Amino acid sequence: MMRTIDLRGRTLSLAELLDSVPRAEAARAEAFAAAARIVDDVARRGEDALREQAEQFDGATGHAIRVPAAHLEEALETLDPVVRSALEAAIVRVREASAAQVPAPSTTVLAPGARVSQRWQPVRRVGVYVPGGKAVYPSSVVMNVVPAQVAGVQQVALASPPQREFGGRVHPVILAAARLLGVDEVYAMGGAGAIGAFAHGVASLRLDPVDVVTGPGNNFVAAAKRAVAGRVGTDAEAGATEILIVADDTADPRLVAADLISQAEHDEQAAAVLVTDSTALADAVAQQVEAMADATRHRERVKTALAGPQSAIVLVDDRATATAFSNAYAPEHLELHLDDPRPEEFGNAGAVFVGAHSPVSLGDYLAGSNHVLPTGGQARYASGLSAATFLRPQQVIEYDRAALSEVRDAIVALAEAEALPAHGEAITARFEG
């Protein structure tokens, strides 16, 4: 089911490692072209475009795009108490972990009367996207909303696709999670159209443009963020999910196979990759994947994802090559099933899960970490969603006359060197007369 990439016996440069990484590049390119058209349509035609997209992609017509408050209340009242308890536990853990991500303000005194203060300002308004196609993600409500609240964001709007089986409403468990967190601005709109609506606003829905758009989704949602970047801030592109497992001969092939399958059940475009220097483990995992995939509920989706160009078993000569391959791939989720894991060597990953008892599923729900993470190799330079996503570092400069006098000549000299004499004159004007 999973193809094998054999890198043994080769000394690979970084460029060659990047070329060997399994990716579904064609799918991403096609997604961007389609997403850009959808975003542009929403920007031009607003609600009419959203309704046409809902009918085409979600099979929903005539629904309330802006969710009435009564739907939120009803969803919370009918929420399964066991699910409510689990969501409340997740909220507590994610809130506590997110609070640690907010930097404290600080002031540096460079000289008497010369102060530069660093403060972190929250954005005013954010739009969070919660997928709702092949699965339901109330956990993503928690992962998006809680860090925004911890950061001090004043307004949080939420969008999730309308569900045909619920008469065009957002899935009730998602609505209940939003109500638990006090979010009352919710929209039944999905995919790239929702991202476009957040970025441009929709007057007929009383939907004002947001400052930042966040949230996971498929490749179309990720591509839509690229299409609106610059107009609004975005988190890293959290597109079709990825797992990369680095394992040695001490790993349990059954657990490795289970974790590969758990990510493959998200979407046909999900990526599942095993990197190992043990041919015995590779063979055992391949056998377990075949057997376990047949037994899982979403077997067809899983098999499609595992057989796709984005998934593979990668054979390497040694631990060093496995580490280099992982850092080149820069996975969304990285699991280390190693006798000596040394996570500090794996710098490029959205989140790192160490040991047999720290599976990605833990991070999806109750680890306290955030599950909205960069995909497509963006973990080489981007981070997962956190309170910092909604904060802007801002500097406040305060100099008195004496402190400015101390640096006056140096400023004038640099201004002259840059052929910007008015800069220097703006300083000397303060000491004339």
Side-chain angles (χ1 to χ4, degrees):
M1 184 184 303
M2 297 179 69
R3 66 189 176 114
T4 298
I5 299 174
D6 194 343
L7 301 181
R8 292 174 297 177
R10 301 168 59 189
T11 300
L12 300 172
S13 67
L14 176 58
E16 289 169 328
L17 281 171
L18 288 169
D19 286 342
S20 68
V21 163
R23 299 268 192 223
E25 297 292 353
R28 294 182 72 221
E30 291 167 6
F32 180 74
R37 289 193 299 270
I38 291 169
V39 167
D40 180 65
D41 194 26
V42 172
R44 289 184 296 103
R45 299 196 301 121
E47 183 177 349
D48 289 341
L50 290 172
R51 291 198 176 279
E52 288 176 13
Q53 292 162 18
E55 182 174 6
Q56 179 182 355
F57 300 123
D58 305 303
T61 59
H63 59 294
I65 296 180
R66 183 158 182 153
V67 175
H71 292 185
L72 292 159
E73 295 291 347
E74 178 186 329
L76 185 57
E77 289 171 3
T78 57
L79 181 64
D80 182 337
V82 175
V83 176
R84 176 169 182 160
S85 178
L87 284 171
E88 289 171 340
I91 289 167
V92 169
R93 287 174 176 243
V94 174
R95 195 177 298 281
E96 185 173 347
S98 298
Q101 299 162 347
V102 180
S106 64
T107 298
T108 304
V109 179
L110 298 161
R115 299 156 53 92
V116 177
S117 299
Q118 315 287 338
R119 66 184 186 185
W120 295 79
Q121 297 285 91
V123 298
R124 183 186 65 87
R125 177 171 168 77
V126 305
V128 301
Y129 183 72
V130 177
K134 295 181 174 68
V136 182
Y137 295 100
S139 57
S140 288
V141 178
V142 176
M143 299 294 175
N144 279 273
V145 174
V146 170
Q149 292 176 335
V150 168
V153 173
Q154 295 177 20
Q155 298 178 14
V156 178
L158 185 149
S160 191
Q163 304 291 312
R164 180 167 48 188
E165 60 267 41
F166 293 101
R169 294 190 185 190
V170 171
H171 195 285
V173 181
I174 291 175
L175 292 181
R179 182 65 187 85
L180 268 178
L181 286 163
V183 176
D184 56 12
E185 186 181 351
V186 180
Y187 299 90
M189 55 189 188
I195 305 302
F198 277 147
H200 293 277
V202 181
S204 64
L205 299 174
R206 294 176 290 115
L207 169 53
D208 292 329
V210 301
D211 302 313
V212 171
V213 175
T214 69
N218 58 20
N219 283 338
F220 294 95
V221 172
K225 289 182 185 177
R226 256 179 286 157
V228 301
R231 184 178 186 90
V232 294
T234 64
D235 56 347
E237 291 178 20
T241 194
E242 305 164 346
I243 184 172
L244 186 144
I245 299 176
V246 180
D248 58 22
D249 58 6
T250 67
D252 184 334
R254 182 178 57 87
L255 298 183
V256 172
D259 292 352
L260 293 170
I261 289 169
S262 74
Q263 292 306 110
E265 84 169 334
H266 276 284
D267 188 90
E268 288 84 354
Q269 295 179 347
V273 180
L274 166 65
V275 181
T276 184
D277 59 0
S278 169
T279 55
L281 178 72
D283 292 342
V285 169
Q287 292 172 10
Q288 289 285 347
V289 164
E290 289 276 0
M292 295 169 71
D294 275 330
T296 196
R297 181 196 302 181
H298 301 298
R299 61 182 65 85
E300 296 306 320
R301 186 189 309 164
V302 166
K303 289 180 178 181
T304 300
L306 294 176
Q310 71 276 14
S311 298
I313 295 174
V314 181
L315 294 173
V316 295
D317 286 317
D318 50 32
R319 160 68 180 263
T321 307
T323 304
F325 182 91
S326 176
N327 283 328
Y329 186 102
E332 176 190 20
H333 305 102
L334 170 63
E335 286 190 3
L336 302 179
H337 292 242
L338 300 165
D339 180 52
D340 180 18
R342 287 175 278 167
E344 65 276 5
E345 296 180 358
F346 296 86
N348 295 349
V352 184
F353 298 81
V354 182
H357 300 293
S358 303
V360 168
S361 296
L362 172 66
D364 284 341
Y365 300 112
L366 281 169
S369 58
N370 203 293
H371 77 202
V372 183
L373 301 166
T375 61
Q378 291 195 51
R380 287 188 294 122
Y381 53 82
S383 61
L385 187 69
S386 72
T389 304
F390 307 102
L391 293 168
R392 298 157 294 154
Q394 187 180 70
Q395 300 177 86
V396 180
I397 299 92
E398 299 173 90
Y399 272 56
D400 62 19
R401 180 182 175 85
L404 181 61
S405 178
E406 282 192 21
V407 295
R408 172 178 56 179
D409 292 344
I411 294 172
V412 171
L414 288 171
E416 291 291 342
E418 294 187 352
L420 298 171
H423 283 60
E425 291 160 6
I427 300 298
T428 58
R430 286 162 167 77
F431 299 94
E432 293 172 352

